[in-house]
Amino acid sequence: MIVNRRLDEWVKLEQLDLDSVETVVDEKVEDKVASLKMTRHQKRKIDETHVEVGHEELDAASLREHEEFTKVKNIATIELGRYEIETWYFSPFPPEYNDSLKLYFCEFCLNFMKRKEQLQRHMRKCDLKHPPGDEIYRSGTLSMFEVDGKKNKVYGQNLCYLAKLFLDHKTLYYDVDLFLFYVLCECDDRGCHMVGYFSKEKHSEESYNLACILTLPPYQRKGYGKFLIAFSYELSKKEGKVGTPERPLSDLGLLSYRGYWTRVLLDILKKHKGNISIKELSDMTAIKAEDILTTLQSLELIQYRKGQHVICADPKVLDRHLKAAGRGGLEVDVSKLIWTPYKEQS
Ligand code: ACO
Ligand code: ZN
């Protein structure tokens, strides 16, 4: 079950369908009947989705507490660059911002203010025209900047406050020292304008190669999300490691990852002649073996024969799945990536 908890708008009482509340018990019965009619595959697919989007790390009590505390959206809109953006979720801004419905962000240093005049004054003084840190990728008008949370603490914290407005079940890490932020920008003669970002732990015990990912709403559904995901795997390839995104994934996060994994894996399977193992696929793509297995299983491309998982790839079936996986997203041109993996400086 994919749950959309976005707090996009206030609704009037008339807009609530209270009749449906009373049918909960009946629905459960209907669900049971429906599940009896479901094939095992359909059921597995639903269960898998539920587990991945679910809040497996939160027990019922802490989940309730989280939902209670974050039920009311505090900041309704933000101004960022040339956009006014409606927010989706609660974000724990410092208490002095609690009485503001709207916040004004400097699009370059991400400092936020309560009043437009404060922002205007700030913009006259602020000398940043791009995120702080190193530009590690530029192709056409697209740039990626690597920002070290330890060297740019305030920027890292501002980015987390901003991102939490669009991320639900994510803890806000105040300890930004431990993270690198990869900020995607569209550049023009006025500067480099943030489109989205992902964060990455400097050292991950769980082989996470991405902690949080966000495309700002005005830029969503244009392929930037899949670009950021592809970029995170390109960094993993350079590190010679496999990676996986931190769990839980949001509904949109899961859709984007499923689409990315499907496209990357099926493109390889289509071109490949002869046998190929999950380990080989993982080595080629830096996608963790478990993610490859669940992706191929959900597409019914895996069979269990003589105690082994075997990939069964009929070209026509692959084409059908590729079509269903959506667009490929913006390409990462690896030749434009100038980057060396993070090393702690002594
Ligand atoms: N409705 C239905 N499907 C959607 C939607 C939507 N509103 N948005 C994205 N998708 C799906 C589609 O399958 C889409 O592919 P398609 O356009 O080819 O059909 C795919 O996701 C990715 O589309 P992109 O354009 O590449 O991604 P986008 O730039 O929109 O970014 C992202 C995706 C980052 C998940 C964005 O929706 C977002 O920032 N959401 C809010 C924050 C969030 O949920 N982040 C993930 C949390 S999990 C984690 O951080 C590890
Ligand atoms: Zn600024």
Side-chain angles (χ1 to χ4, degrees):
M1 186 176 60
I2 292 182
V3 184
N4 175 356
R5 275 194 1 118
R6 276 182 279 293
L7 308 165
D8 303 78
E9 53 178 344
W10 288 102
V11 293
K12 297 208 176 70
L13 188 60
E14 310 86 87
Q15 286 174 265
L16 296 176
D17 178 10
L18 296 175
D19 292 344
S20 63
V21 175
E22 290 172 2
T23 60
V24 166
V25 179
D26 295 347
E27 271 172 15
K28 276 205 179 131
V29 175
E30 273 171 25
D31 278 350
K32 274 203 187 121
V33 175
S35 82
L36 289 175
K37 287 185 191 152
M38 261 190 270
T39 64
R40 210 178 315 136
H41 168 65
Q42 281 168 326
K43 185 152 171 2
R44 192 184 62 218
K45 250 173 127 172
I46 290 172
D47 289 344
E48 268 172 18
T49 320
H50 188 71
V51 169
E52 282 187 51
V53 190
H55 318 110
E56 61 271 39
E57 283 119 53
L58 300 173
D59 59 46
S62 40
L63 183 63
R64 251 196 319 278
E65 196 184 322
H66 165 88
E67 289 185 344
E68 197 53 42
F69 185 61
T70 60
K71 204 156 58 183
V72 179
K73 193 164 68 175
N74 45 348
I75 309 295
T77 50
I78 57 163
E79 203 176 289
L80 179 78
R82 53 197 182 93
Y83 293 104
E84 182 171 296
I85 308 172
E86 284 192 28
T87 65
W88 295 359
Y89 302 111
F90 170 89
S91 177
F93 283 93
E96 59 269 33
Y97 295 87
N98 277 352
D99 57 347
S100 319
L101 277 178
K102 181 168 177 180
L103 288 182
Y104 298 85
F105 279 81
C106 166
E107 62 166 328
F108 301 118
C109 70
L110 302 183
N111 279 340
F112 44 88
M113 283 140 259
K114 289 201 227 178
R115 295 202 320 275
K116 179 110 185 160
E117 309 81 70
Q118 287 174 302
L119 177 67
Q120 286 164 339
R121 218 174 316 131
H122 171 90
M123 295 316 288
R124 285 196 289 275
K125 294 192 309 229
C126 184
D127 44 19
L128 270 185
K129 285 285 171 270
H130 54 74
D134 303 326
E135 189 176 25
I136 57 167
Y137 179 91
R138 178 175 290 228
S139 177
T141 55
L142 277 194
S143 274
M144 282 290 268
F145 289 83
E146 182 186 62
V147 184
D148 184 330
K150 191 167 182 181
K151 293 184 194 154
N152 295 284
K153 230 181 165 75
V154 175
Y155 182 89
Q157 283 165 348
N158 290 346
L159 182 54
C160 290
Y161 283 128
L162 170 67
K164 179 63 193 71
L165 293 168
F166 306 99
L167 283 156
D168 187 14
H169 284 294
K170 283 281 174 191
T171 327
L172 194 69
Y173 292 106
Y174 291 97
D175 206 357
V176 292
D177 288 25
L178 307 178
F179 290 85
L180 294 163
F181 299 91
Y182 294 92
V183 186
L184 174 62
C185 296
E186 274 181 0
C187 304
D188 59 26
D189 51 359
R190 292 178 302 116
C192 296
H193 314 280
M194 178 181 161
V195 164
Y197 88 104
F198 67 88
S199 54
K200 175 177 166 126
E201 275 175 281
K202 290 175 180 172
H203 307 283
S204 170
E205 304 266 315
E206 298 90 345
S207 70
Y208 293 142
N209 65 351
L210 179 147
C212 290
I213 179 171
L214 167 74
T215 304
L216 289 165
Y219 298 98
Q220 286 178 5
R221 279 325 276 276
K222 296 178 198 288
Y224 288 122
K226 283 189 203 142
F227 176 93
L228 289 167
I229 293 172
F231 202 91
S232 71
Y233 283 106
E234 290 307 332
L235 298 188
S236 295
K237 285 182 202 168
K238 293 230 174 208
E239 291 173 324
K241 291 182 186 163
V242 296
T244 188
E246 193 182 298
R247 301 307 197 274
L249 296 175
S250 67
D251 53 351
L252 295 176
L254 180 63
L255 280 169
S256 306
Y257 266 97
R258 275 270 162 86
Y260 174 79
W261 289 329
T262 301
R263 184 157 286 283
V264 169
L265 296 171
L266 268 49
D267 274 341
I268 296 177
L269 291 180
K270 256 187 84 166
K271 288 185 203 130
H272 189 82
K273 306 256 179 308
N275 288 342
I276 191 161
S277 68
I278 290 187
K279 167 87 174 60
E280 283 166 313
L281 283 172
S282 179
D283 290 342
M284 289 161 87
T285 58
I287 301 173
K288 204 176 171 185
E290 284 90 330
D291 297 332
I292 297 180
L293 194 62
T294 49
T295 305
L296 296 180
Q297 267 170 345
S298 74
L299 298 170
E300 291 196 314
L301 294 175
I302 297 271
Q303 286 180 8
Y304 199 64
R305 284 188 206 149
K306 296 185 190 144
Q308 272 190 326
H309 290 297
V310 186
I311 304 170
C312 311
D314 171 354
K316 271 199 219 113
V317 178
L318 295 184
D319 277 334
R320 185 156 45 79
H321 287 314
L322 271 170
K323 236 190 210 149
R327 294 161 293 179
L330 292 165
E331 291 281 320
V332 177
D333 179 351
V334 192
S335 69
K336 307 274 168 67
L337 170 63
I338 300 169
W339 183 77
T340 47
Y342 176 80
K343 270 205 198 81
E344 198 75 63
Q345 276 154 9
S346 52

